């Protein structure tokens, strides 16, 4: 029996009412030689009145008039019709160049309608493009499905990257986003009975038993972490005694392990970045093995190697977790949440996100038999390899390092926090109990402080700063990296984060001069990282200190002197288990707060 919590986490209850139609514009991939890019504007249903909307192009890599004929105009969709199109002329030049993109934006909507998607990305494929580029694969895939339009119903979505500043300008909950990560997700035009519950700014979508969501993408530049997590986004819950009221409970819980860089298949490219970055790949997300198999065949026919196609099943009917697919009140919303953390080159990641090298489709196969996926449990975190055994006496050595830091600031008395707990629930717990997980990730161990008070402030006083004193988990293989982040308590919005990937030498830098008589041992088994309003220039350059910003008119991301703050520690990917480490097998950090 499903547990009903209609009031938990502010679940939204709304009475069913007639709504205006949704207007959406679809992305388009076209070749230079096609002559025109025809961009479709669709309504979720026919309107009893004409709908008009203004449109305008804007350059990205493609520049008007060298690559396309930019312009603007007004599109009118007559009453009773459900779509219209915008044709934009393309320039077929003789240059050998990569694919280029421009945008078509909608504005000034007139009539009983509202925007679902108001921006389309148009990709111009060069005549001599590499056959394995993500956009050439997407073009081929779309063309193959279009050959049998009676069997395939294709809905193109848009890919969005989370804008952290919106959490600060709107005040909405950011669900503990990692300020060191870039988050992305697909959005699809609304269908009948499909809800639009936004959790922390992340939309969900429904998936039928004859459907799949297909992502075709170029993976990001080399980063310390890249993963796609399958989540139950939100769940329908009828109000007891009154089925005419519907409510959606925010779940954001993972029912399976993430598809991360250690498990992702991608097209091999000689001389490219370390595998699997900067490569072409595809992900099929479906409750139906038959649908997944058929779409895999279409992707290989479009030229993508089989090893570059990844399948994430939705195990409908599994006794371990209740999942409800389809388009009805009782159906779940799902999402694949992408995380990209700590790139080797931040500008390269910024450029990648601006280029939007991701195509997303929701594909239904008419007449497809239903063969459900089997449930696959989470990977086991416990490995039998503990840091207490790998580094004998390491806990006492960490404590000796803490004492050296205190000697560095003789005369000051820091508050010291040691008690740590792991996140008390998994995504399965949240799904089964119908509570929020805030988009958990089995690839990370989330360490939370149990000490009281659990909320802090940071001021501009130079004597107010924080230290994190911990074990080098990268050296022991228990984590690819460790991240410490600080959040505003009011909306769980990440303000600043610091990681250990530049922490080599940090323990000696802060403590070697004060370590006489202390049994610290090899300093490189440990690290010391610092947060402050203003770091010394040397420690800032070395990467040992990060500054907690104030909000400004130009950049709202920041914390005031009076904001209640909290910290969260993440350990990503044990080298043996390929998921987050077990709390029992790692030595936890000590948090020193100087006021």
């Amino acid at each position: 029996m499903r547990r009903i919590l209609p009031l938990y986490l502010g679940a939204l209850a709304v009475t069913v009412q007639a709504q205006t139609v949704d207007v959406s514009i679809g992305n388009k991939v076209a070749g230079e030689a096609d002559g025109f890019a025809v961009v479709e504007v669709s309504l979720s249903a026919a309107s009893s009145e004409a709908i008009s909307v203004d449109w305008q192009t804007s350059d990205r890599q493609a520049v008007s008039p060298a690559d396309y004929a930019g312009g603007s105009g007004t599109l009118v969709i007559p009453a009773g019709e459900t779509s219209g199109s915008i044709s934009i002329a393309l320039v077929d030049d003789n240059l050998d160049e990569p694919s280029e993109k421009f945008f078509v934006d909608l504005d000034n909507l007139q009539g009983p309608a509202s925007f679902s998607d108001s921006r389309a990305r148009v990709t111009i494929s060069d005549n001599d493009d590499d056959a394995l580029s993500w956009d050439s694969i997407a073009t081929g895939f779309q063309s193959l499905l279009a050959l049998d339009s009676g069997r395939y119903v294709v809905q193109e979505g848009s890919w969005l990257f989370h804008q952290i500043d919106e959490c600060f300008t709107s005040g909405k909950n950011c669900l503990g986003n990692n300020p060191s990560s870039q988050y992305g997700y697909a959005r699809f035009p609304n269908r009948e009975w499909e809800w639009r519950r936004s959790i922390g700014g992340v939309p969900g979508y429904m998936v039928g038993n004859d459907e799949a969501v297909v992502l075709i993408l170029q993976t990001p530049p080399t980063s310390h972490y890249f993963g796609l997590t399958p989540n139950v986004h939100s769940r329908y819950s009828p109000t007891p005694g009154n089925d005419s009221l519907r409510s959606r409970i925010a779940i954001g819980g993972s029912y399976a392990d993430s598809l991360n860089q250690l498990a992702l298949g991608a097209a091999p490219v000689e001389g490219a970045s370390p595998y699997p970055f900067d490569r072409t790949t595809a992900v099929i997300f479906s409750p139906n093995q038959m649908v997944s198999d058929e779409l895999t065949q279409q992707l290989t026919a479009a030229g993508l190697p089989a090893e570059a196609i990844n399948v994430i099943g939705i195990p409908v009917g599994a006794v371990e977790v209740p999942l409800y697919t389809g388009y009805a009140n009782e159906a779940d919303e799902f999402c694949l949440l992408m995380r990209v953390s700590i790139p080797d080159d931040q500008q390269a990641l910024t450029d990648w996100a601006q280029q939007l090298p991701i195509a997303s489709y929701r594909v239904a196969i008419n007449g497809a038999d239903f063969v459900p996926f089997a449930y696959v449990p989470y990977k086991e975190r416990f490995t039998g390899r503990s840091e207490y055994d790998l580094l004998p006496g390491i806990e006492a050595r960490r404590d000796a390092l803490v004492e050296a830091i205190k000697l560095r600031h003789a005369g000051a008395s820091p508050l010291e926090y040691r008690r740590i707990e792991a996140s008390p629930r998994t995504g399965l717990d949240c799904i089964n109990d119908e509570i929020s997980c805030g988009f958990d990730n089995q690839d990370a161990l989330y360490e939370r402080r149990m000490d009281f008070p659990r909320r802090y402030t940071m001021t501009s006083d130079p004597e107010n700063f924080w230290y994190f004193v911990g074990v080098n988990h990268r050296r022991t293989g228990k984590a690819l990296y460790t991240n410490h982040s600080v959040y505003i308590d009011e909306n769980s919005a990440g303000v600043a984060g610091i990681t250990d990937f530049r922490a080599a030498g940090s323990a000696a830098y802060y403590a070697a001069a004060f370590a006489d008589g202390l049994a610290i041992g090899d300093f490189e088994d440990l690290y010391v990282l610092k947060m402050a309003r203003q770091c010394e220039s040397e420690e800032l350059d070395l990467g040992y200190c990060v500054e907690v910003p104030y909000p400004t008119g130009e950049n709202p991301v920041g914390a005031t002197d009076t904001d209640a703050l909290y910290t969260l520690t993440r350990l990503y990917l044990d080298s043996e288990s390929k998921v987050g480490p077990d709390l029992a097998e790692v030595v936890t950090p000590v948090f020193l707060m100087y006021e």
Side-chain angles (χ1 to χ4, degrees):
M1 181 175 180
R2 295 174 62 190
R3 180 182 174 189
I4 307 301
L5 298 174
L7 299 179
Y8 194 85
L9 291 173
L12 180 64
V14 294
T15 302
V16 179
Q17 295 178 345
Q19 294 183 346
T20 57
V21 297
D22 290 326
V23 177
S24 61
I25 184 169
N27 295 329
K28 181 69 177 180
V29 179
E32 281 186 355
D34 292 347
F36 290 88
V38 181
V39 181
E40 296 291 331
V41 177
S42 302
L43 307 183
S44 59
S47 173
S48 59
E49 300 179 26
I51 304 296
S52 72
V53 63
D54 293 343
W55 62 269
Q56 183 172 0
T57 62
S58 60
D59 294 345
R60 182 58 72 179
Q61 295 84 16
V63 178
S64 174
D67 300 305
Y68 73 101
S72 60
T74 299
L75 174 68
V76 177
I77 301 177
E81 300 292 328
T82 59
S83 65
S85 61
I86 301 167
S87 293
I88 300 166
L90 305 179
V91 177
D92 188 5
D93 56 33
N94 296 319
L95 300 175
D96 184 5
E97 55 193 351
S99 295
E100 299 172 314
K101 305 165 189 66
F102 66 92
F103 292 134
V104 180
D105 290 297
L106 303 181
D107 195 8
N108 192 27
L109 184 60
Q110 301 292 323
S114 60
F115 283 126
S116 174
D117 288 288
S118 61
R119 164 168 281 192
R121 179 188 68 242
V122 180
T123 303
I124 307 173
S125 297
D126 186 71
N127 300 344
D128 300 314
D129 264 358
D130 180 357
L132 279 180
S133 66
W134 72 273
D135 45 1
S136 63
I137 296 297
T139 301
F141 178 68
Q142 279 187 293
S143 298
L144 288 169
L145 299 187
L147 291 175
D148 193 351
S149 58
R151 181 163 180 77
Y152 300 106
V153 179
V154 182
Q155 187 186 53
E156 188 171 4
S158 56
W159 189 264
L160 305 173
F161 286 104
H162 186 258
Q163 303 299 317
I164 184 176
D165 56 348
E166 293 180 1
C167 297
F168 293 83
T169 56
S170 68
K172 66 185 179 183
N173 195 294
C174 252
L175 304 174
N177 66 292
N178 188 340
S180 301
S181 295
Q182 176 79 65
Y183 296 84
Y185 40 83
R187 183 173 66 186
F188 294 96
N190 204 17
R191 284 184 173 163
E192 187 177 1
W193 288 114
E194 186 171 17
W195 287 80
R196 269 293 178 266
R197 180 67 189 268
S198 177
I199 305 175
V202 178
Y205 42 79
M206 291 179 176
V207 182
N209 283 342
D210 60 349
E211 285 186 315
V213 168
V214 180
L215 305 181
I216 301 172
L217 66 145
Q218 176 186 319
T219 57
T222 307
S223 302
H224 283 68
Y225 178 77
F226 169 58
L228 285 156
T229 306
N231 293 282
V232 172
H233 179 275
S234 69
R235 170 156 290 181
Y236 169 80
S237 178
T239 301
N242 189 348
D243 272 347
S244 65
L245 293 178
R246 307 173 189 171
S247 62
R248 278 271 146 183
I249 294 176
I251 301 292
S254 68
Y255 64 81
D257 291 319
S258 299
L259 182 65
N260 60 45
Q261 75 253 36
L262 302 181
L264 181 77
V269 179
E270 288 189 18
S273 302
Y275 193 85
F277 298 100
D278 285 317
R279 287 165 167 79
T280 298
T281 189
V283 179
I284 300 174
F285 179 54
S286 177
N288 191 335
Q289 289 191 60
M290 294 293 287
V291 168
S292 172
D293 290 346
E294 186 167 333
L295 294 179
T296 295
Q297 293 172 7
Q298 296 288 18
L299 285 166
T300 55
L304 189 62
E307 64 268 24
I309 302 171
N310 307 269
V311 176
I312 300 176
I314 303 174
V316 177
V319 297
E320 294 85 355
V321 53
L323 299 174
Y324 307 100
T325 50
Y327 293 85
N329 292 345
E330 296 79 8
D332 291 330
E333 280 187 314
F334 297 89
C335 75
L336 286 173
L337 183 64
M338 177 188 288
R339 293 175 174 90
V340 187
S341 301
I342 315 173
D344 285 356
D345 183 339
Q346 181 59 54
Q347 186 59 52
L349 180 62
T350 299
D351 293 343
W352 173 82
Q354 290 180 342
Q355 291 165 8
L356 288 174
I358 303 172
S360 53
Y361 309 96
R362 184 161 50 180
V363 183
I365 301 182
N366 291 324
D369 294 332
F370 178 60
V371 179
F373 282 93
Y375 170 74
V376 178
Y378 296 134
K379 292 177 183 175
E380 176 59 55
R381 290 175 178 263
F382 190 83
T383 66
R385 294 176 62 254
S386 168
E387 287 181 335
Y388 296 94
D389 298 325
L390 294 169
L391 299 172
I394 187 61
E395 195 170 25
R397 293 171 54 198
R398 177 209 61 190
D399 291 347
L401 179 58
V402 169
E403 292 306 310
I405 294 297
K406 291 179 180 178
L407 290 173
R408 179 185 178 90
H409 301 282
S413 298
L415 297 175
E416 186 173 332
Y417 300 97
R418 290 175 172 268
R419 297 179 62 214
I420 295 289
E421 65 177 353
S423 179
R425 55 182 180 254
T426 67
L428 287 182
D429 297 326
C430 297
I431 296 167
N432 287 319
D433 292 340
E434 296 189 341
I435 57 178
S436 177
C437 252
F439 296 111
D440 66 304
N441 185 0
Q442 293 300 306
D443 284 345
L445 168 62
Y446 295 83
E447 293 183 341
R448 308 189 311 174
R449 306 195 180 281
M450 299 171 62
D451 304 276
F452 292 91
R454 301 170 99 177
R455 301 296 180 260
Y456 329 107
T457 57
M458 179 173 281
T459 71
S460 58
D461 185 339
E463 302 303 318
N464 184 193
F465 50 83
W466 305 342
Y467 283 115
F468 300 91
V469 182
V471 171
N472 186 345
H473 307 300
R474 299 173 68 209
R475 203 175 203 194
T476 63
K478 298 306 293 183
L480 288 184
Y481 73 90
T482 301
N483 168 261
H484 302 283
S485 296
V486 58
Y487 299 88
I488 294 178
D489 183 46
E490 183 178 7
N491 61 350
S492 294
V495 177
I498 190 167
T499 60
D500 66 344
F501 76 99
R502 289 182 63 189
S506 61
Y509 176 85
Y510 284 110
F514 307 92
D516 288 348
L518 296 173
I520 296 174
D522 187 349
F523 279 97
E524 289 308 304
D525 286 337
L526 300 148
Y527 67 79
V528 177
L529 297 174
K530 183 179 177 183
M531 283 188 179
R533 286 294 189 182
Q534 186 171 355
C535 302
E536 298 292 336
S537 59
E538 184 178 29
E539 61 185 0
L540 191 63
D541 291 341
L542 289 169
Y544 301 160
C545 184
V546 67
E547 294 179 340
V548 178
Y550 285 100
T552 66
E554 295 180 353
N555 185 1
V557 179
T560 69
D561 285 350
T562 58
D563 280 329
L565 308 176
Y566 69 92
T567 63
L568 182 67
T569 298
R570 296 174 175 87
L571 281 66
Y572 268 90
L573 293 179
D574 186 304
S575 61
E576 184 171 326
S577 70
K578 313 302 183 188
V579 291
D582 189 280
L583 182 62
E585 294 188 325
V586 293
V587 179
T588 56
V590 175
F591 176 45
L592 296 176
M593 184 172 69
Y594 284 85
E595 294 185 303

